[in-house]
C-alpha cells in the first residue's frame, strides 16, 4: 500500500484499475471551513470505499483519496478555479470554456465555494498559496497514482479498464448538477459520449446491471469528468468509465448509516468486477 498521507494505493495484478476520488473523510487541519460539518459530510461519496473493498483481493488496483472532495475535488482540472474565492489574482491558467466552467458557476470548481445545497463553505477568502498547496499535496499525487496504475496495467496486459467509482444522491440537490431535482436511476454509467471508453464496453456494464434488476442511465446526467477524460485513450486500449451508484440503494442519506441494501449491492458489484476481469475490450 502507498504510504502517501492523502492517497491510498493498493497495486493489483490485473488489467482493472478502480479509483474512489470522493469518499475521503480525513479533514485537513488547514481546511478552515465555516459551514456546518454535517453539510460537508453529505458531500462525500459515503461508503464507496467499503462497497468495493473486495476488489484488491480479486487482483484489481485500488486508489482512494483520503481527503474530502469539498477540500479539493480531484475530478476537476486545475484550471477550474473559482477566482471569487481568492484574496489575490490567480497567477496560473484559468478555464474559459463555458461548458467546462459549468460546475464552477454552481460553486463546485476545483475548490468548492458552496455545498450541494448552496451553503457557503467559507467565511474568508483563500490565499493563492493555500490553493496551490492543496493542488500539490492532493491533486497531483492522486492523478499521478491513477496515471501510474493505468500505465502499469496497460504495460502488463496490453489494455486497461479503469472504473472511476462514485455515488450520487437519490434526488439531485440545488447546486449539485445542471439538473436540480432530477430523480436518479440506480446507476449512471458515463464515458463522455463514448470518448473515454468503447461504447461496447460501457453498454456491457449497463446490460450486466440491468440484468440484475437495476435501472441504469447512460451518460445522463453524469458523463464523467476529469479523471476519465485525462487518463483514457480508447484508441490505445485504455478505457475509463465513471460509475455512479444511487445512495438510497445502500445507506440512509440523512444519517449516513449503512442500510440492509448494502450487502446485495456489494454482491452485484463483485459480480460486475469479476466479469470485467474476464473481458478483453480488444475483442469486443
Amino acid at each position: 500500500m502507498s504510504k502517501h498521507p492523502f492517497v491510498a494505493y493498493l497495486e493489483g495484478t490485473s488489467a482493472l484499475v478502480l479509483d474512489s476520488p470522493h469518499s475521503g473523510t480525513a479533514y485537513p487541519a488547514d481546511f478552515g471551513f465555516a459551514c456546518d460539518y454535517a453539510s460537508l459530510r453529505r458531500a462525500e461519496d459515503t461508503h464507496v470505499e467499503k462497497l468495493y473493498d473486495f476488489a484488491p483481493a480479486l487482483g484489481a488496483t485500488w486508489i482512494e483519496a483520503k481527503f474530502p472532495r469539498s477540500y479539493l475535488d480531484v475530478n476537476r482540472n486545475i484550471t477550474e478555479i473559482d477566482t471569487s474565492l481568492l484574496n489575490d489574482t490567480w497567477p496560473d491558467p484559468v478555464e474559459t470554456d463555458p461548458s467546462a466552467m459549468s460546475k464552477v458557476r454552481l460553486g463546485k470548481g476545483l475548490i468548492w465555494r458552496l455545498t450541494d445545497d448552496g451553503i457557503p463553505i467559507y467565511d474568508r477568502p483563500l490565499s493563492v498559496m493555500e490553493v496551490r498547496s492543496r493542488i500539490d499535496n492532493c491533486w497531483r499525487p492522486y492523478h499521478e497514482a491513477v496515471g501510474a496504475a493505468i500505465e502499469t496495467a496497460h504495460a502488463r496486459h496490453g489494455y486497461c479498464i479503469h472504473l472511476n467509482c462514485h455515488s450520487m444522491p437519490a434526488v439531485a440537490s440545488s447546486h449539485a448538477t445542471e439538473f436540480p431535482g432530477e430523480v436518479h436511476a440506480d446507476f449512471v454509467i458515463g464515458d463522455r459520449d463514448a470518448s473515454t471508453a468503447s461504447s461496447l464496453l460501457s453498454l456491457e456494464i449497463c446490460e450486466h446491471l440491468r440484468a440484475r434488476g437495476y435501472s441504469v442511465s447512460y451518460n445522463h446526467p453524469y458523463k464523467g469528468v476529469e479523471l476519465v477524460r485525462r487518463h483514457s485513450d480508447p484508441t490505445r486500449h485504455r478505457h475509463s468509465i465513471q460509475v455512479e451508484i444511487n445512495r438510497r440503494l445502500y445507506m440512509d442519506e440523512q444519517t449516513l448509516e449503512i442500510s440492509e441494501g448494502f450487502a446485495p449491492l456489494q454482491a452485484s458489484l463483485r459480480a460486475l468486477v469479476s466479469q470485467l476481469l474476464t473481458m478483453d475490450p480488444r475483442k469486443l
Side-chain angles (χ1 to χ4, degrees):
M1 178 185 282
S2 164
K3 298 298 184 182
H4 194 281
F6 297 114
V7 180
Y9 185 110
L10 289 167
E11 186 172 348
T13 56
S14 73
L16 189 59
V17 173
L18 281 67
D19 84 288
S20 178
H22 292 160
S23 58
T25 59
Y27 282 66
D30 65 354
F31 195 161
F33 59 88
C35 67
D36 179 55
Y37 178 61
S39 297
L40 287 182
R41 289 299 316 275
R42 285 193 290 273
E44 299 163 10
D45 282 0
T46 310
H47 305 311
V48 165
E49 81 288 354
K50 299 181 184 72
L51 281 170
Y52 291 95
D53 65 6
F54 60 84
L58 297 182
T61 295
W62 175 257
I63 301 156
E64 175 189 338
K66 295 298 189 179
F67 52 89
R69 69 188 302 192
S70 53
Y71 179 73
L72 176 134
D73 190 343
V74 290
N75 210 19
R76 301 287 155 206
N77 199 343
I78 53 175
T79 58
E80 294 178 58
I81 295 288
D82 190 334
T83 55
S84 68
L85 275 172
L86 305 177
N87 65 3
D88 204 350
T89 302
W90 183 249
D92 299 327
V94 175
E95 187 63 62
T96 57
D97 180 72
S99 61
M101 288 295 281
S102 62
K103 282 288 189 149
V104 176
R105 291 191 293 273
L106 289 170
K108 299 295 179 54
L110 178 73
I111 307 293
W112 282 25
R113 175 169 49 86
L114 303 173
T115 68
D116 282 340
D117 297 316
I119 300 168
I121 292 175
Y122 301 98
D123 60 2
R124 63 183 179 89
L126 305 187
S127 70
V128 169
M129 183 178 297
E130 66 181 310
V131 173
R132 278 183 161 172
S133 175
R134 295 184 193 190
I135 292 171
D136 290 340
N137 292 326
C138 299
W139 194 95
R140 295 191 193 284
Y142 193 86
H143 279 270
E144 286 168 3
V146 173
I150 290 173
E151 185 70 36
T152 298
H154 184 269
R156 184 180 289 140
H157 297 278
Y159 68 93
C160 177
I161 300 173
H162 165 218
L163 296 187
N164 184 224
C165 304
H166 296 263
S167 70
M168 58 188 172
V171 180
S173 300
S174 62
H175 288 68
T177 73
E178 298 282 357
F179 308 96
E182 177 155 336
V183 178
H184 292 140
D186 294 332
F187 284 85
V188 178
I189 304 302
D191 59 13
R192 295 177 67 86
D193 298 320
S195 67
T196 67
S198 162
S199 60
L200 296 176
L201 178 60
S202 299
L203 291 171
E204 284 275 353
I205 293 174
C206 292
E207 289 310 309
H208 175 93
L209 294 168
R210 287 180 183 130
R212 297 184 75 94
Y214 296 105
S215 60
V216 183
S217 179
Y218 181 35
N219 281 317
H220 178 84
Y222 303 104
K223 294 178 184 291
V225 200
E226 185 63 13
L227 279 155
V228 297
R229 185 199 70 81
R230 179 174 291 266
H231 297 290
S232 63
D233 188 351
T235 62
R236 297 178 59 211
H237 312 298
R238 299 180 184 214
H239 303 272
S240 290
I241 296 169
Q242 181 171 287
V243 179
E244 293 272 3
I245 302 173
N246 195 315
R247 292 174 195 152
R248 68 172 174 76
L249 293 175
Y250 68 92
M251 63 176 277
D252 183 308
E253 292 189 70
Q254 295 306 310
T255 66
L256 310 186
E257 293 296 317
I258 287 172
S259 71
E260 62 184 11
F262 182 94
L265 173 61
Q266 188 179 55
S268 295
L269 293 172
R270 179 187 285 269
L272 173 63
V273 167
S274 297
Q275 177 176 329
L276 290 173
L277 287 168
T278 70
M279 293 177 62
D280 183 340
R282 296 171 297 184
K283 298 176 181 177
L284 291 177

